[in-house]
Amino acid sequence: MDRDVSTLPPGLAGDPYRAHVRAWLAAHVPEGFLADQPGFRAPDLAACRDWEAAMHRGGLAGITWPTEYGGHGLSLREHLIANQEIGRRALPESVNSLGKELAGPIILAIGTEEQKRRYLPPLLQMREIWCQGFSEPNAGSDLAGLRTRATRDGSAWRVNGRKIWTSGAPNAQRCLLLARTGAVEDRHRGLALFAMRMDAPGVTVRPLRQMDGREHFAEVFMDDVVIDAEDALGAPDQGWSAAVRVLAIERATNRMYRAWRFENELNHLVRACRADATLARLLDGGAYHRRLAETVVDIEIVKAHVEPVVDSLLAGESIGDRGSLMKLHWSEAHQRFAALALELLEQAPPGAGPEVQAARARFQRIYLSARAETIYAGTTEIQLGIIGDRILKLPRESAKGGR
Amino acid sequence: MAQAETGKTEMGKTEMGTADKGNADMGKPGMGTAAVAAARDDRDGIAAFAETARHAVAACAALPVRERARQLAGDGLLGILAPESAGGLGLGPSFAAPVMEAAGAGLLGYPLAETLLLGAAFGSAPVGPAIVLGETIATIAWAGIAEGSGDRLSGTVGRAPLVDEADLLLVATRTGAALVPLDGAGVTVQPAFGLDLETPEHEVVLTDVTPVATLDAAATAALREDALPLWAAAIGGAAERCLALALEHVSTREQFGRTLVSFQALRHALARQKLAVEHVRAALERHAALVAAGAPEARLAARTSYAAATRFGIAAIESALQLHGGMGFTWEVEVHRHLRRARTVEAQGDAPGLHRRLAEDLLTANA
Ligand SMILES: Cc1cc2nc3c(=O)[nH]c(=O)nc-3n(C[C@H](O)[C@H](O)[C@H](O)COP(=O)(O)OP(=O)(O)OC[C@H]3O[C@@H](n4cnc5c(N)ncnc54)[C@H](O)[C@@H]3O)c2cc1C
């Protein structure tokens, strides 16, 4: 199928689960799905849903979740293997990654038995897409300053407020919502987590046009939205610790395929340049050797950070603040690479062939979307702050912390 | 790495502290690979090694070179990679790394990487045991090639750390490498004006010198690849030491009526130094795990560790120097010594050439 699979290092072959994943992918990846292959057409939402539901049936999603909730009851080791194989192929990004990688794990950790049975299977079957309603106009980095209020109304909750930059909100059925039950001055205390229905009366989604032209993130307005008690996740004051855990996952293990997709992108870049005489000369001339080599090294370092996280989670240890080191590196490394790819491909002469044009389109998208990678999941500056405060434990004068 | 009082212990606490049940839910404990399990079992042994190495390196500072050799050998540090038949320990890179980190952090004045490599490469040769026991000081000329055949080698070689104090020198030849004695005729050692102050480099002019042992091309290439993670560990240890010094400096010095560490720009600079140290450590641990698993990716991992050390590690040392302000430019503050060594190691390992090879491999794989 795609060529980078044939050049896999032999040390990664051999595992029976890996063989299953490869065989399944070889048999099931739909026509035109791979962004590094001829005939690529960006799949629409319905196609992505169908594909991800099929991946779940094939054992490639919900890998570590218990079988009673629709999972496959395997370990993070298999999760890593599946991600390596998924990463090696230029497959579309998940349209429900917030559900599968953030909401799901948090529900497994703090949800009731009933909630796990109610939320998790539809999520894996792609009948419910989730979004993450944390950020607000005045609470981005300073997440603890959020103002969306949840007040008791009998046994239910009544929510008022406004979220922003909520990825995937226009397509979502559920929102992992962080809202305030106490006073704003309480900051980290009095925050609660909800599984809000996006079709509940009073929820309005207004898509925002992104700098890459897409309308993927949105504003979410909540006007007297009633949330049943059964949709409250964890205790009303557990919201912050749950949110912190969500963010740790987001930084460290979310999209575990990242290093291997990054490798796929690099290989695609080289092949595309090879397809054009001008670009091939540029590559072979050596002027780009240093940056290409640094990209290879950057990718290997992403792997070197993520693999031990799997080992320590398997050993029952927590991710802790290490996620900040990883997030800082992958986001900046990917931006460096994207800039290199853009610089190279934009030197293509007029009339360059379809392979080069397809690569230009892919890497323009990647270049633009990579700008967001140092912003979401905690900006670069916030990660540096966490490393200083919590890993190096630098003495500080003010005790105020960001997200 | 070598400095227990810096980030290592902090990180360790986070990792080893109370198990987070929420994250544990994501997977089942105890499913790690055999290599990982073995590495965990080795942890105590490796930590003990690191401790021994720190003490030995500290003790060496006050000793003349010959006695440094005996000190290091006495602590079992010269034969980590050498086979047991040569008096070595026959251990892998996971044990060599913390020792090299200690050497880097402690500015050891001994060609330790060279000794470890030669002990392993000549473990079954008659010269092996003397190198491992510290009776013979051996080093490597990382640049240049000696011409000639069989028992008559001539030429100018360079980038040989501490060769003025050594008995044997490994030089590259057309067929691999040769170990030549330095005490006989036909050997002229001259200064090479390198940056390093701990194990200064010299050039050596050889005229019809007869080797005592040789390596074939494959063994020579392997030795060069094996040097990469050792150098990486040395730079990583140095970077961690410099981070500790910078942290100490900005935590105690006051300007504008406050301690410097309260300025966010400096906190962020320290965070980036920490990131660099962790890159090198992560790359070395991955290399050691892949070697233990017998995986062919170990070779790229070794190259990665060295590339990461010369790129991120050196940048961290430079940043640590900057955070010292004017003090950083004094002879007395040791940061410049680390920088000198790291830049020398970057040249000895031919970091530009390594990057070229990494790029060529990428282009070949996608030809
Ligand atoms: C593509 C995209 C998708 C997103 N998806 C979601 C989502 O699904 N759900 C969600 O809840 N949020 C989402 N976000 C929001 C994201 O989490 C926030 O944008 C981010 O946390 C930064 O907050 P902010 O935009 O308010 O920036 P600000 O906090 O206002 O920051 C502006 C600048 O100031 C810097 N800064 C802020 N505080 C400090 C400080 N203490 N020290 C030094 N510098 C500082 C920042 O680093 C940044 O450079 C998304 C954002 C993007 C770009």
Side-chain angles (χ1 to χ4, degrees):
Chain A
M1 191 181 50
D2 47 338
R3 56 183 298 160
D4 49 348
V5 174
S6 62
T7 58
L8 256 190
L12 290 179
D15 182 282
Y17 181 76
R18 188 181 301 281
H20 158 74
V21 173
R22 286 189 191 168
W24 191 89
L25 288 171
H28 291 87
V29 174
E31 261 313 295
F33 245 53
L34 300 176
D36 63 346
Q37 303 290 311
F40 166 71
R41 276 169 287 107
D44 62 12
L45 179 65
C48 286
R49 266 181 194 262
D50 290 349
W51 162 244
E52 291 188 48
M55 283 218 290
H56 170 239
R57 289 192 300 275
L60 272 67
I63 293 167
T64 62
W65 300 6
T67 48
E68 55 267 41
Y69 312 128
H72 299 290
L74 299 172
S75 79
L76 263 187
R77 172 85 32 218
E78 282 79 24
H79 182 77
L80 174 63
I81 290 172
N83 272 274
Q84 290 170 334
E85 296 301 326
I86 289 166
R88 288 206 164 86
R89 295 159 180 81
L91 287 162
E93 298 283 334
S94 169
V95 294
N96 201 8
S97 73
L98 292 167
K100 288 189 237 181
E101 308 217 60
L102 300 181
I106 219 65
I107 291 163
L108 281 168
I110 67 169
T112 63
E113 181 62 27
E114 189 273 330
Q115 286 175 327
K116 293 177 194 173
R117 290 186 189 279
R118 196 150 45 85
Y119 299 135
L120 300 179
L123 189 165
L124 288 173
Q125 292 153 11
M126 297 297 289
R127 289 187 286 114
E128 286 196 346
I129 290 179
W130 285 65
C131 62
Q132 176 193 14
F134 281 22
S135 304
E136 297 182 6
N138 288 311
S141 298
D142 187 14
L143 184 60
L146 67 85
R147 284 161 187 275
T148 293
R149 292 204 67 87
T151 46
R152 286 272 187 196
D153 184 356
S155 69
W157 295 87
R158 195 170 283 276
V159 175
N160 282 285
R162 176 180 172 195
K163 296 291 171 179
I164 195 169
W165 310 303
T166 314
S167 295
N171 307 320
Q173 282 71 49
R174 288 267 176 192
C175 177
L176 184 68
L177 180 78
L178 192 61
R180 180 168 297 289
T181 57
V184 175
E185 297 70 48
D186 289 347
R187 289 184 61 83
H188 304 81
R189 279 167 291 128
L191 289 177
L193 206 54
F194 298 95
M196 181 178 74
R197 297 178 59 96
M198 292 297 281
D199 62 359
V203 175
T204 311
V205 176
R206 190 161 77 198
L208 290 167
R209 197 166 162 85
Q210 303 177 169
M211 58 135 1
D212 61 1
R214 299 195 308 149
E215 291 189 349
H216 185 66
F217 64 24
E219 282 183 285
V220 179
F221 299 88
M222 286 143 298
D223 186 13
D224 258 348
V225 177
V226 175
I227 300 182
D228 292 336
E230 61 176 26
D231 283 337
L233 288 167
D237 55 358
Q238 240 188 326
W240 181 256
S241 63
V244 166
R245 199 181 279 172
V246 170
L247 294 171
I249 297 171
E250 191 173 3
R251 286 166 195 152
T253 64
N254 188 16
R255 299 192 180 150
M256 200 174 274
Y257 59 74
R258 212 179 296 270
W260 293 271
R261 179 62 53 77
F262 197 160
E263 203 166 54
N264 164 279
E265 290 169 1
L266 177 59
N267 288 326
H268 182 195
L269 172 69
V270 172
R271 288 202 312 276
C273 290
R274 277 282 158 84
D276 179 271
T278 307
L279 297 181
R281 261 198 310 279
L282 269 182
L283 272 194
D284 292 332
Y288 282 95
H289 275 25
R290 182 83 189 199
R291 284 165 78 192
L292 289 169
E294 287 181 352
T295 308
V296 171
V297 169
D298 276 339
I299 293 171
E300 294 303 302
I301 293 175
V302 180
K303 293 179 191 171
H305 282 298
V306 73
E307 289 168 355
V309 164
V310 170
D311 290 328
S312 46
L313 286 173
L314 284 170
E317 296 161 8
S318 72
I319 302 173
D321 299 316
R322 266 183 301 174
S324 291
L325 294 164
M326 301 170 64
K327 202 261 166 175
L328 193 53
H329 175 63
W330 63 246
S331 59
E332 295 190 333
H334 200 223
Q335 286 185 347
R336 284 193 288 270
F337 163 69
L340 168 65
L342 192 74
E343 180 183 317
L344 265 168
L345 288 168
E346 295 302 313
Q347 293 176 72
E355 195 169 346
V356 171
Q357 298 303 354
R360 282 185 68 208
R362 184 183 187 200
F363 287 102
Q364 286 173 357
R365 274 197 309 278
I366 289 172
Y367 174 76
L368 294 178
S369 63
R371 305 322 304 169
E373 292 172 358
T374 50
I375 299 171
Y376 58 59
T379 67
T380 294
E381 290 72 23
I382 295 304
Q383 308 303 345
L384 289 168
I386 291 172
I387 296 167
D389 295 346
R390 304 220 280 262
I391 297 180
L392 288 175
K393 300 209 183 344
L394 303 177
R396 53 180 169 170
E397 293 178 342
S398 145
K400 280 190 180 176
R403 71 188 289 175
Chain B
M1 290 190 188
Q3 293 302 303
E5 66 275 16
T6 62
K8 175 71 178 228
T9 38
E10 307 301 322
M11 281 292 281
K13 267 182 217 152
T14 332
E15 289 165 17
M16 309 295 288
T18 49
D20 182 331
K21 298 211 177 55
N23 291 323
D25 280 344
M26 292 180 61
K28 294 175 184 167
M31 300 282 292
T33 60
V36 171
R40 281 181 196 282
D41 292 344
D42 276 351
R43 256 186 207 174
D44 292 348
I46 292 170
F49 244 85
E51 190 59 26
T52 305
R54 277 191 292 272
H55 286 297
V57 169
C60 281
L63 300 176
V65 173
R66 293 271 154 197
E67 285 171 44
R68 287 177 211 161
R70 278 189 286 276
Q71 168 84 43
L72 295 166
D75 284 328
L77 300 176
L78 298 185
I80 298 169
L81 302 177
E84 287 174 37
S85 57
L89 299 169
L91 296 169
S94 56
F95 285 86
V99 173
M100 288 306 301
E101 284 164 3
L107 290 167
L108 177 66
Y110 195 78
L112 184 59
E114 287 78 5
T115 307
L116 296 181
L117 294 165
L118 293 171
F122 293 100
S124 47
V127 295
I131 295 172
V132 170
L133 292 174
E135 289 161 4
T136 294
I137 298 179
T139 187
I140 297 174
W142 292 108
I145 188 160
E147 303 283 354
S149 61
D151 52 5
R152 291 172 159 271
L153 291 172
S154 300
T156 303
V157 295
R159 299 223 161 278
L162 215 70
V163 69
D164 57 333
E165 307 260 8
D167 309 304
L168 293 171
L169 176 68
L170 188 77
V171 298
T173 63
R174 293 288 164 196
T175 56
L179 202 54
V180 298
L182 294 166
D183 52 2
V187 176
T188 312
V189 175
Q190 57 197 35
F193 313 108
L195 281 177
D196 183 22
L197 303 170
E198 317 314 319
T199 50
E201 291 182 324
H202 291 262
E203 285 183 356
V204 181
V205 183
L206 302 174
T207 316
D208 290 338
V209 177
T210 305
V212 296
T214 57
L215 293 180
D216 63 17
T220 306
L223 180 143
R224 283 190 170 270
E225 296 283 342
D226 289 346
L228 299 174
L230 300 180
W231 280 324
I235 296 178
E240 187 161 39
R241 166 76 179 152
C242 293
L243 162 58
L245 291 170
L247 202 162
E248 164 81 23
H249 181 73
V250 298
S251 300
T252 47
R253 181 166 167 82
E254 288 189 9
Q255 290 287 279
F256 303 98
R258 40 201 278 219
T259 46
L260 286 173
V261 75
S262 66
F263 289 102
Q264 192 186 48
L266 304 189
R267 301 171 77 85
H268 286 188
L270 291 167
R272 286 205 180 270
Q273 290 170 32
K274 175 66 175 166
L275 182 67
V277 168
E278 292 303 322
H279 283 346
V280 180
R281 191 199 316 279
L284 283 168
E285 285 179 358
R286 185 161 193 267
H287 171 251
L290 290 169
V291 168
E297 299 95 313
R299 184 184 160 98
L300 176 56
R303 293 173 165 198
T304 296
S305 69
Y306 177 75
T310 52
R311 178 164 154 224
F312 298 109
I314 288 176
I317 297 171
E318 290 176 345
S319 164
L321 195 143
Q322 171 72 14
L323 263 55
H324 278 81
M327 284 304 293
F329 201 70
T330 62
W331 187 265
E332 175 198 343
V333 170
E334 75 182 57
V335 179
H336 75 101
R337 305 186 81 101
H338 292 285
L339 189 55
R340 289 161 173 276
R341 260 210 65 65
R343 286 293 187 189
T344 303
V345 163
E346 181 186 36
Q348 287 169 352
D350 184 20
L354 179 84
H355 282 87
R356 236 169 7 247
R357 288 195 295 284
L358 284 171
E360 280 160 8
D361 287 351
L362 172 71
L363 299 186
T364 309
N366 289 286

